[in-house]
């Protein structure tokens, strides 16, 4: 641990409802894969941090304006974001899928979206994907700040479908959130821990070293199993 890192309490921003990566347990504490990874890496590397659950887009903007030191929020490592941010080594592979309400038997492909509304989360890869195909399939987009409200909009029938990250939708569906997936997974980028370009290089280095250590010790796999194997 270097001197700078030992003195500092890093501010790390995250999403609010993005299970199994970050979500509140029954006592209101933030838990999930991202939360456990940061905790284990901080312990391994000896740094202090504070979690700021801001919501996804707000977290990314807070990082861009340097109000926080880092973001961990199931954040996809995209080329566009690499212009502003430095990412850690990837720690989870993702992708985008479309889901509809469990009771909806009318929408089973992008073609069925014509003239309908589709829910997305502001600033996400899912939103970009929906944006990229909306003219072709003739649907309009409704934006939300978090996944819970976005899923609710589909359940109440205002939107007919949602585009979100595969591991998150699959986890929610398995837990009975009232949605079902109806299309194949679209390619998406892997998740990484992000810092602003040129800032917190030592934090990024500690994250990468800690991640490699957790993978080698089997702790990384333990965290995955906790939320993905028995967690649903
Ligand atoms: N992986 C997606 C992205 O980075 C969504 C992240 C999120 O909603 N927390 O755009």
């Amino acid at each position: 641990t270097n001197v700078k890192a030992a003195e500092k309490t890093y501010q790390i921003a995250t999403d609010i409802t993005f299970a199994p990566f970050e979500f509140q347990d029954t006592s209101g504490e933030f838990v999930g894969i991202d939360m456990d990874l940061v905790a284990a890496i901080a312990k391994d590397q000896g740094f202090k941090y504070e979690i700021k659950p801001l919501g996804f887009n707000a977290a990314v903007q807070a990082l861009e304006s340097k109000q926080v030191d880092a973001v961990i929020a199931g954040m996809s490592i995209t080329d566009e974001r690499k212009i502003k941010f430095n990412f850690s080594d990837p720690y989870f592979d993702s992708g985008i899928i479309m889901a509809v309400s469990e009771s909806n038997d009318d929408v089973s492909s992008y073609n069925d979206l014509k003239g309908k509304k589709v829910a997305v989360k502001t600033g996400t890869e899912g939103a970009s994907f929906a944006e990229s195909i909306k003219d072709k399939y003739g649907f309009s987009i409704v934006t939300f700040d978090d996944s819970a409200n976005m899923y609710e909009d589909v359940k109440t029938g205002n939107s007919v479908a949602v585009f979100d990250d595969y591991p998150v939708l699959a986890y929610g569906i398995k837990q009975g959130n009232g949605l079902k997936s109806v299309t194949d997974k679209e390619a998406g980028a892997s998740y990484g821990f992000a810092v602003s370009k040129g800032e917190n290089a030592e934090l990024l280095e500690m994250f990468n070293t800690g991640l490699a250590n957790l993978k080698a010790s089997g702790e990384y796999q333990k965290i995955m199993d906790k939320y993905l194997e028995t967690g649903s």
Side-chain angles (χ1 to χ4, degrees):
T1 308
N2 65 35
V3 177
K4 211 170 154 195
E7 288 168 351
K8 216 175 153 164
T9 298
Y10 294 101
Q11 305 293 312
I12 303 179
T14 190
D15 202 347
I16 47 172
T17 53
F18 206 57
F21 295 91
E22 45 268 346
F23 58 103
Q24 283 171 285
D25 66 12
T26 47
S27 61
E29 202 184 321
F30 275 87
V31 295
I33 291 171
D34 287 346
M35 301 300 97
D36 283 16
L37 272 182
V38 172
I41 288 170
K43 195 174 169 207
D44 183 76
Q45 294 292 299
F47 65 83
K48 293 195 284 286
Y49 70 98
E50 223 172 81
I51 290 290
K52 300 265 164 200
L54 302 178
F56 183 69
N57 196 47
V60 174
Q61 288 187 346
L63 183 59
E64 196 179 342
S65 58
K66 297 176 187 167
Q67 288 168 296
V68 295
D69 296 299
V71 167
I72 188 159
M75 184 174 175
S76 305
I77 305 170
T78 65
D79 288 340
E80 207 189 331
R81 289 178 184 155
K82 278 192 207 160
I83 299 167
K84 295 170 183 167
F85 308 118
N86 285 330
F87 284 96
S88 69
D89 295 331
Y91 66 85
F92 199 93
D93 295 332
S94 194
I96 307 289
I97 48 161
M98 178 173 101
V100 300
S101 172
E102 226 166 39
S103 58
N104 184 342
D105 293 325
D106 301 327
V107 177
S108 57
S109 76
Y110 301 160
N111 286 312
D112 301 325
L113 297 174
K114 201 173 170 59
K116 306 259 164 61
K117 282 187 246 176
V118 168
V120 301
K121 193 197 297 182
T122 308
T124 61
E125 241 194 333
S128 303
F129 178 71
E131 201 61 52
S132 75
I133 62 164
K134 82 172 173 88
D135 290 342
K136 181 172 176 196
Y137 294 103
F139 61 84
S140 58
I141 288 177
V142 198
T143 54
F144 293 88
D145 284 339
D146 68 276
S147 290
N149 283 315
M150 176 168 82
Y151 296 173
E152 203 49 41
D153 201 61
V154 178
K155 276 193 282 179
T156 59
N158 180 51
S159 306
V160 294
V162 54
F163 285 96
D164 204 359
D165 287 11
Y166 171 76
V168 172
L169 261 175
Y171 180 88
I173 288 168
K174 228 168 143 189
Q175 294 216 316
N177 71 358
L179 303 181
K180 64 181 176 188
S181 61
V182 284
T183 54
D184 289 336
K185 185 164 76 171
E186 302 282 348
S190 299
Y191 295 163
F193 173 90
V195 296
S196 273
K197 263 244 152 96
E199 306 277 326
N200 290 309
E202 78 290 348
L203 177 60
L204 196 60
E205 201 182 308
M206 289 190 290
F207 188 93
N208 282 333
T209 309
L211 180 63
N213 289 346
L214 296 193
K215 283 192 172 174
S217 71
E219 193 166 353
Y220 170 90
Q221 195 54 49
K222 255 201 207 151
I223 293 171
M224 296 302 146
D225 292 348
K226 174 174 164 193
Y227 291 101
L228 297 175
E229 215 172 58
T230 55
S232 46

